[in-house]
Amino acid sequence: MAKSIVHEIPTPEAESPYRPRQPYRFSTLCATVDNPSLKDQYGSSSVPIYQSATFKGVNGQYDYTRSGNPTRSHLEHHLAKISSASHALAVSSGMAALDTILRILKPGDEVIAGDDLYGGTNRILAYLTTHGGVIVHHVDTTKPDSLLDYINPDKTAMVLLESPTNPLLKIVDLARIAADIKERAPNAIVVVDNTMMSPYLQRPLEHGADIVYDSATKYLSGHHDLMAGVITCNRDDLAKQMAFIINAAGNALTPFDCFLLLRGTKTLAIRMERQQATAMLVAQMLNRLGFKVHYPGLANHPNRDVHERIADGFGAVLSFTTGDKAVSERIVGATRLWGISVSFGCVNSLISMPCVMSHASIDPATRAARGLPEDLIRLCVGIEDPADLLDDLERALLEAGAITLTAGADSHQRYVRTIPSEGTAISRAVQKLAYNESAGYMTKRETEDREWFVSAPGKVILFGEHAVVYGVTAVAASVDLRCYGITTPRHDGKVSVHFVDIDGITQEWEIDDLPWDAVTPVPVGDAHPDVLDSKLVDAITTRALSSEVLEKHGARQACIAFLYMYMIMAHGKSRPSFNFSARATLPVGAGLGSSASFSACAATALLILHSRIQLPALPAPTTDEHLHTSHEGRRAIPPALAEEVNRWAFVSEKILHGNPSGVDNSVAVFGGALSYTRAGFGRKPGMVPIQGFKSLKFLLTDSRIPRNTKQLVAGVAALREQDPEFVNGLLNAIQHISDEAQRALADPELSREELLAALSALIDENHSHLVKLGVSHPSLEAIRYKTASPPYALSTKLTGAGGGGCAVTLVPDNLSDSSLHELMGTLSTDSFVPYFTSVGGSGLGVLSPYNQPQPQQPATPPETPRGTDESLRDVFVSKATSEFSEWASGLGRWLYV
């Protein structure tokens, strides 16, 4: 129950000097809206809504509502009065309040914040770290000493606190931390999010805070019918600075919402008193039944003495665990009065499961590391009759099987918890979550001893090169030449790479020495921002790479891409120690998507080792005689997993190339064939898989002539500017070729012979247009001449940027093996490097872990075709390129997208 607090707030004096008035109590302050400096001319008992954008006159108190409004002035005066504050500012939401406060910071400032903050607070701090040059340290603020190592008198600019935390109701000693900060970093600003308590129960300004903010959507309003945020402080300089920001940004609260919030605050005291009184009854009932309850009002709640020292009550939010997630879900679904919803502070009671709802974006391992149980239920108590709420909850517990009716020693029947202790089922569930071993999935964290072997195909652009830049549809397909990656465990606190095809470069790092201070991790399940974290890229480049690597562009970019993903994917306390080796059977730098296939391999390996994706388990047989059809591993990797890999492969491609289209990495992950149209040119943009694509045979010939893609693209742009009619005509012709190729490739009624004839003609026509655009090269024309000469008569075109690189030659089904080998020999004699391959095959592949032996265990033929004493990496590095694909395929069953 709240104390009857006496506030040192000025109260109007009585007319008689013989009986002076006593200071008003809090509930009186809430109900009494009185601003002596802003009297209503008509004496209205309720503050009017000044629903006006502008005010007439010159040099008046108000001119434009963004800058000031009488209704908002009344509200802010009232909020300051009940918050022990000299200043109050009303804005459009709680996050708008925090945004206003954080704008005080400047690049280079350091912020100390809790490690258990509201999700929106985490997001905006992460944004500031990435885009604002602000350094954020997340620490356990429930232990005041944990902040001391991070306090820097010259750099610490702000400390951001919450108490109690949500949803575990952890208590933070606001007074002690504020005193420590003022002693060690006098210029630092102590900011407290007071939403869970409201000014009725806790006024952090009285305990040393400089700024306090509330999401007034919650208790201050109390009805969930408006969005609002409130900032209070006592320092004139901070108030002036934040008022300027609000006026400049235009996020002040509207007059009508000010009216609603002012009306809500009048009943704050009576609502909070009823809500926390009922919350205590609910907590006591659950505690009596044997559940683990988190509520500061219970005698056994950690740091309860601290809370009683800094607060006037225990609040109306509590949480409890059942010992079984399924039971918790049944409880939530069985209630009637308790509405299933996020948020809190409403007059209506709410129930939720944070790990399924408000905290679902945090991966299970991180939730387990933070001690956030999967079976946790949060209750936000309203103003309904306590008996009704208790009865509804008890009925839900009984219906869910969480409690049962039994006879006690005194022969009286009573409800008891059906799960006697919490240390059995739930501890096993949390342990499983910590290792991401929930049903149907497997991946173990930190003690990973497997070697993960992954691969991804290269790509060939069949039609639409260069024209794709101007909105023409490109048709691309995967090739059977692939990039391969393998991770080998180290467990020595180091991470290393070996890029066999990039000057054979090797690089090793001490994990703890990497620039972790520059990292803003991407939470599991969240997408990487559209823009790369330039701060992290710069930190890796300047602080992590050796001079040898910096001198070699390809090796430098590959190392940056690998480390960038390794660091930004890290979550919880896991930083796996391993070696990543990569090599390819496709030519590197020849326009066949080698960088994209590398990106797909690196992204897959890192996602697995960071436990951000899990491979599906083997399906259980329906009978003893059930036969699993292997499909040679095709479609074994589900689409959702492939999409996640593709998103991260695109991040890697951005580091490697700056502004990729996304075609190459999509083909590397999904395989097959697709069409791609760039946005902004009048056609429907995006990538569309070509369904029913039939595998085709091609000869890919590397001219061994380096390309300058930027120069070639710039050349086409210059030609288009000089003669737009000519170039636009060529672009339209190439669009028609792409359209016809898509129809032919997807037509199930077209015979194989007709398809090959159509593609042959389209290849010749497409190449002729590319020659007119000036992007061919004598070496490519020489390849084209040889393949078109008798007896071969094959169709060849350049692929990719042109100007060197590779040529692609369609190989018909009736070309004999002897003729093919003869042609390849002729090309090799002229110093070209030919590759015979199929186009349109599988995408991303992972060697199935189910046929790999566990460490220190004997092999079990025939499921495991290799011995346990041999490291895959040793053979991976030394195997000849000509033998590599066959060796990799023979290791066991591969799983493909």
Side-chain angles (χ1 to χ4, degrees):
M1 303 292 286
K3 306 169 188 175
S4 183
I5 301 299
V6 176
H7 294 273
E8 297 299 329
I9 302 294
T11 302
E13 291 294 327
E15 295 180 2
S16 169
Y18 300 105
R19 192 184 174 199
R21 289 185 181 272
Q22 299 299 314
Y24 291 152
R25 270 67 174 175
F26 193 95
S27 57
T28 306
L29 293 174
C30 284
T32 307
V33 179
D34 182 29
N35 186 349
S37 64
L38 199 65
K39 292 289 187 181
D40 177 64
Q41 59 180 321
Y42 297 110
S44 61
S45 57
S46 179
V47 173
I49 305 172
Y50 287 85
Q51 194 65 42
S52 177
T54 58
F55 298 87
K56 296 177 181 179
V58 179
N59 297 325
Q61 185 176 354
Y62 302 100
D63 55 5
Y64 193 52
T65 284
R66 172 166 57 80
S67 304
N69 181 280
T71 311
R72 190 157 67 241
S73 294
H74 273 288
L75 170 67
E76 290 175 341
H77 177 272
H78 188 61
L79 291 170
K81 182 177 64 176
I82 66 174
S83 301
S84 298
S86 300
H87 307 279
L89 303 164
V91 292
S92 56
S93 70
M95 288 309 301
L98 179 57
D99 177 65
T100 299
I101 296 166
L102 293 177
R103 287 175 187 249
I104 295 172
L105 299 171
K106 60 184 184 301
D109 283 347
E110 295 188 6
V111 176
I112 302 174
D115 59 359
D116 187 21
L117 297 173
Y118 167 59
T121 304
N122 273 320
R123 279 194 298 270
I124 197 168
L125 289 176
Y127 183 88
L128 273 181
T129 301
T130 303
H131 301 283
V134 174
I135 300 169
V136 179
H137 304 288
H138 290 280
V139 302
D140 183 1
T141 50
T142 63
K143 301 174 182 177
D145 290 342
S146 66
L147 282 73
L148 301 182
D149 291 340
Y150 296 93
I151 301 175
N152 185 315
D154 299 319
K155 295 184 178 180
T156 302
M158 187 174 290
V159 178
L160 190 56
L161 305 172
E162 292 181 21
S163 186
T165 63
N166 177 20
L168 292 176
L169 287 298
K170 296 179 181 179
I171 305 303
V172 176
D173 193 337
L174 303 177
R176 179 177 167 185
I177 291 177
D180 288 344
I181 295 298
K182 296 305 178 185
E183 178 184 348
R184 293 168 171 80
N187 295 324
I189 301 170
V190 178
V191 179
V192 177
D193 179 351
N194 197 43
T195 305
M196 286 280 280
M197 287 281 99
S198 85
Y200 180 59
L201 298 180
Q202 185 170 268
R203 290 163 299 283
L205 292 178
E206 297 175 357
H207 302 292
D210 297 299
I211 299 174
V212 176
Y213 71 98
D214 288 71
S215 171
T217 310
K218 313 298 193 296
Y219 289 117
L220 283 170
S221 166
H223 296 78
H224 281 190
D225 55 6
L226 79 144
M227 300 285 290
V230 172
I231 306 170
T232 57
C233 69
N234 284 322
R235 284 175 48 179
D236 295 343
D237 58 329
L238 291 177
K240 183 177 180 180
Q241 190 173 358
M242 291 185 290
F244 174 85
I245 293 169
I246 293 169
N247 184 39
N251 61 357
L253 197 61
T254 65
F256 185 72
D257 286 339
C258 287
F259 170 80
L260 289 178
L261 181 54
L262 193 58
R263 185 176 64 171
T265 59
K266 294 178 182 179
T267 60
L268 172 63
I270 194 169
R271 284 186 285 105
M272 287 298 300
E273 197 60 45
R274 174 63 170 265
Q275 287 171 286
Q276 73 165 348
T278 305
M280 177 64 84
L281 295 176
V282 173
Q284 289 171 341
M285 182 189 83
L286 292 169
N287 189 58
R288 185 172 58 252
L289 288 169
F291 295 99
K292 182 176 180 180
V293 184
H294 305 277
Y295 185 62
L298 295 178
N300 60 352
H301 190 78
N303 284 342
R304 185 178 191 263
D305 58 329
V306 174
H307 184 78
E308 288 183 316
R309 173 162 45 85
I310 63 175
D312 299 328
F314 304 118
V317 176
L318 65 143
S319 60
F320 70 102
T321 52
T322 66
D324 189 302
K325 183 179 179 182
V327 171
S328 296
E329 290 173 345
R330 292 198 295 270
I331 293 170
V332 172
T335 58
R336 297 294 178 266
L337 280 177
W338 301 81
I340 304 175
S341 179
V342 296
S343 195
F344 57 91
C346 183
V347 293
N348 306 110
S349 296
L350 303 175
I351 188 171
S352 66
M353 285 185 67
C355 292
V356 178
M357 301 170 70
S358 58
H359 291 65
S361 61
I362 304 174
D363 69 290
T366 302
R367 293 199 296 261
R370 293 181 178 178
L372 189 59
E374 296 294 305
D375 62 324
L376 187 74
I377 295 176
R378 188 184 72 177
L379 299 173
C380 306
V381 182
I383 65 170
E384 301 93 339
D385 190 285
D388 292 332
L389 289 175
L390 292 171
D391 179 69
D392 187 59
L393 183 58
E394 187 176 78
R395 289 175 181 274
L397 292 169
L398 186 63
E399 182 179 330
I403 59 175
T404 187
L405 190 63
T406 186
D410 56 1
S411 299
H412 288 91
Q413 288 189 323
R414 59 173 59 86
Y415 288 113
V416 296
R417 186 180 174 196
T418 54
I419 301 176
S421 68
E422 195 170 2
T424 53
I426 192 61
S427 64
R428 290 195 299 272
V430 171
Q431 184 180 20
K432 272 189 170 185
L433 289 163
Y435 290 99
N436 281 328
E437 292 177 347
S438 51
Y441 291 90
M442 52 76 57
T443 294
K444 194 173 182 180
R445 299 199 65 181
E446 297 192 44
T447 57
E448 181 60 81
D449 290 312
R450 298 181 185 93
E451 289 185 290
W452 287 96
F453 200 175
V454 299
S455 75
K459 71 92 182 63
V460 60
I461 299 212
L462 300 176
F463 303 100
E465 297 92 338
H466 276 284
V468 69
V469 175
Y470 300 100
V472 171
T473 303
V475 177
S478 62
V479 298
D480 277 352
L481 302 174
R482 303 174 77 86
C483 177
Y484 296 84
I486 189 168
T487 67
T488 305
R490 293 186 57 134
H491 302 316
D492 61 354
K494 297 179 181 180
V495 64
S496 55
V497 295
H498 181 190
F499 301 141
V500 177
D501 300 316
I502 309 177
D503 302 313
I505 198 73
T506 60
Q507 183 81 66
E508 179 180 274
W509 300 273
E510 291 281 351
I511 294 175
D512 289 342
D513 291 343
L514 292 172
W516 294 102
D517 59 307
V519 178
T520 301
V522 174
V524 176
D526 283 9
H528 185 283
D530 292 336
V531 180
L532 291 174
D533 186 342
S534 58
K535 181 179 178 181
L536 180 56
V537 172
D538 292 342
I540 292 171
T541 306
T542 57
R543 295 161 54 186
L545 301 187
S546 66
S547 56
E548 177 190 7
V549 170
L550 288 171
E551 292 172 358
K552 300 175 180 178
H553 180 268
R556 181 181 75 237
Q557 296 305 108
C559 285
I560 292 173
F562 173 83
L563 283 181
Y564 183 95
M565 290 192 293
Y566 174 81
M567 298 176 70
I568 209 165
M569 285 185 191
H571 59 96
K573 297 181 180 179
S574 174
R575 295 175 181 176
S577 171
F578 63 95
N579 175 83
F580 176 70
S581 297
R583 64 176 299 182
T585 58
L586 72 161
V588 175
L592 296 179
S594 57
S595 70
S597 55
F598 164 82
S599 293
C601 287
T604 304
L606 289 167
L607 286 166
I608 289 174
L609 290 181
H610 279 300
S611 297
R612 299 175 76 101
I613 59 173
Q614 303 87 33
L615 295 181
L618 291 173
T622 54
T623 66
D624 293 339
E625 293 78 26
H626 179 86
L627 173 67
H628 287 304
T629 305
S630 72
H631 303 285
E632 297 181 351
R634 294 185 298 274
R635 307 295 176 91
I637 296 177
L641 187 152
E643 289 284 359
E644 181 71 359
V645 171
N646 193 39
R647 284 189 286 269
W648 283 100
F650 187 54
V651 171
S652 175
E653 282 288 271
K654 286 183 178 181
I655 296 172
L656 296 173
H657 295 297
N659 186 27
S661 66
V663 174
D664 290 12
N665 52 274
S666 294
V667 173
V669 172
F670 294 101
L674 57 82
S675 63
Y676 168 75
T677 306
R678 194 173 182 179
F681 293 90
R683 297 184 182 90
K684 184 179 180 180
M687 284 176 273
V688 180
I690 298 176
Q691 304 296 338
F693 183 86
K694 308 172 185 69
S695 181
L696 302 170
K697 293 183 288 185
F698 276 86
L699 191 64
L700 304 178
T701 306
D702 185 2
S703 68
R704 303 178 68 183
I705 302 296
R707 303 165 304 135
N708 189 326
T709 302
K710 291 182 179 179
Q711 183 177 330
L712 291 162
V713 172
V716 173
L719 180 62
R720 185 169 184 251
E721 185 175 354
Q722 179 184 346
D723 195 344
E725 184 177 353
F726 171 71
V727 172
N728 288 336
L730 294 176
L731 297 178
N732 289 332
I734 294 174
Q735 178 65 56
H736 292 315
I737 292 170
S738 292
D739 291 341
E740 183 60 35
Q742 290 179 79
R743 286 193 291 270
L745 290 168
D747 187 352
E749 303 298 325
L750 200 64
S751 71
R752 179 79 174 181
E753 184 178 356
E754 291 172 322
L755 173 64
L756 292 172
L759 293 177
S760 180
L762 293 173
I763 284 173
D764 290 334
E765 183 183 356
N766 195 167
H767 183 81
S768 68
H769 295 321
L770 294 171
V771 170
K772 294 173 184 176
L773 287 174
V775 296
S776 188
H777 188 274
S779 64
L780 298 175
E781 296 305 315
I783 296 170
R784 180 174 159 78
Y785 174 78
K786 289 184 180 296
T787 56
S789 299
Y792 314 114
L794 304 180
S795 296
T796 299
K797 63 180 285 293
L798 66 86
T799 185
C806 270
V808 294
T809 303
L810 180 64
V811 177
D813 297 337
N814 59 4
L815 184 69
S816 66
D817 290 343
S818 58
S819 294
L820 178 62
H821 290 133
E822 181 184 7
L823 175 59
M824 293 176 69
T826 301
L827 293 168
S828 298
T829 301
D830 291 342
S831 300
F832 302 127
V833 183
Y835 301 84
F836 178 61
T837 185
S838 295
V839 169
S842 297
L844 175 71
V846 180
L847 182 61
S848 173
Y850 301 106
N851 61 1
Q852 291 193 52
Q854 296 301 311
Q856 310 301 322
Q857 295 179 353
T860 309
E863 189 68 5
T864 304
R866 61 184 179 87
T868 59
D869 58 344
E870 181 182 34
S871 168
L872 278 178
R873 183 192 172 205
D874 297 335
V875 186
F876 180 95
V877 173
S878 60
K879 181 67 70 173
T881 302
S882 59
E883 304 172 354
F884 193 91
S885 294
E886 184 177 357
W887 168 75
S889 298
L891 288 173
R893 185 178 183 182
W894 282 78
L895 310 176
Y896 293 103
V897 173

